[in-house]
């Protein structure tokens, strides 16, 4: 019986010693610190369900174009920093797992506006896209058939709200060539 008591006493001592040793080694090792856990928890990651809203405002007409879409596959699983690097030139308005809202100011008019300008003996119609001019149509004029006030307006570039407005103006005020 004495041998059994010694054996159990020895097992208890061994158990206590190993627990104490394990506890002290665990304190000395470098686990993920509290600060690192907080950073990981705060880092926002995009996911499949995240919705993206892009708001583009135009400086010359004041219009705003809003595009809502789901994320593309290369945008999923990114941190805020990586996502914004993908969308250079856009400003973060909101960023969380549910929704990302980015804004951008663009110089010029929105794509709905049509711009007409006099170019020698023709009128050039164009629109703007991302700050670039996109030619739409060149209209040849009959020589001397443009009223002076219309000629002045068109030489200074005339902006129309849309293509229909431009067409109505030109039909009323311009004599077209052959």
């Amino acid at each position: 019986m004495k041998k059994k008591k010694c054996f159990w006493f020895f097992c208890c001592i061994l158990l206590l010693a190993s627990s104490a040793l394990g506890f002290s080694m665990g304190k000395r090792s470098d686990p993920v610190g509290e600060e690192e856990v907080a950073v990981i928890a705060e880092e926002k990651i995009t996911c499949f369900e995240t919705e993206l809203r892009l708001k583009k405002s135009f400086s010359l007409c004041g219009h705003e174009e809003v595009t809502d879409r789901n994320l593309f596959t290369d945008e999923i699983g990114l941190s805020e920093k990586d996502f914004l690097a993908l969308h250079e030139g856009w400003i973060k308005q909101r960023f969380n797992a549910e929704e990302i809202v980015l804004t951008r100011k663009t110089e010029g008019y929105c794509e709905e506006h049509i711009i007409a300008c006099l170019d020698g003996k023709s009128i050039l119609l164009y629109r703007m896209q991302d700050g670039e001019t996109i030619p739409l149509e060149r209209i040849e004029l009959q020589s001397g058939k443009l009223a002076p006030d219309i000629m002045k307006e068109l030489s200074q570039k005339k902006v129309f709200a849309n293509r229909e407005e431009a067409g109505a103006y030109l039909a009323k005020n311009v004599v077209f060539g052959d």
Side-chain angles (χ1 to χ4, degrees):
M1 185 79 165
K2 193 174 182 184
K3 280 186 177 185
K4 276 188 175 182
K5 284 184 181 181
C6 281
F7 174 74
W8 286 112
F9 180 73
F10 178 74
C11 286
C12 287
I13 296 289
L14 188 61
L15 183 64
L16 284 171
S18 64
S19 297
L21 183 63
F23 181 73
S24 68
M25 286 181 74
K27 269 194 141 184
R28 275 190 257 142
S29 69
D30 193 22
V32 176
E34 289 178 24
E35 292 174 5
E36 292 177 48
V37 170
V39 168
I40 292 169
E42 287 179 18
E43 186 171 0
K44 297 172 184 140
I45 303 291
T46 59
C47 60
F48 182 74
E49 293 85 19
T50 306
E51 293 180 12
L52 177 63
R53 173 169 279 195
L54 300 169
K55 293 180 179 181
K56 190 189 298 185
S57 61
F58 298 90
S59 63
L60 296 179
C61 64
H63 292 150
E64 185 175 79
E65 179 182 292
V66 178
T67 305
D68 290 322
R69 67 171 175 84
N70 293 326
L71 297 184
F72 297 132
T73 53
D74 62 336
E75 298 171 322
I76 296 172
L78 298 179
S79 67
E80 181 176 336
K81 180 182 175 186
D82 293 338
F83 187 86
L84 292 175
L86 247 179
H87 296 276
E88 192 175 320
W90 290 85
I91 298 168
K92 173 190 78 163
Q93 194 173 31
R94 186 175 320 125
F95 192 101
N96 57 51
E98 293 82 37
E99 180 184 41
I100 300 169
V101 179
L102 303 178
T103 60
R104 174 185 233 167
K105 276 196 179 271
T106 301
E107 294 299 317
Y109 294 96
C110 68
E111 294 179 22
E112 288 294 312
H113 291 281
I114 302 297
I115 303 159
C117 67
L118 196 57
D119 184 31
K121 292 185 177 184
S122 60
I123 297 173
L124 178 63
L125 297 178
Y126 64 93
R127 66 179 171 84
M128 306 219 33
Q129 182 177 352
D130 295 325
E132 301 289 322
T133 58
I134 309 296
L136 298 174
E137 188 176 355
R138 180 177 290 279
I139 301 168
E140 297 298 323
L141 300 171
Q142 286 184 358
S143 58
K145 299 292 184 177
L146 200 56
D149 58 330
I150 303 300
M151 187 179 290
K152 183 178 178 187
E153 276 185 337
L154 293 174
S155 65
Q156 296 173 354
K157 296 183 182 175
K158 180 148 179 72
V159 180
F160 300 97
N162 53 44
R163 191 141 191 165
E164 290 77 26
E165 186 180 297
Y169 175 86
L170 293 174
K172 178 181 172 190
N173 295 301
V174 177
V175 177
F176 301 101
D178 299 320

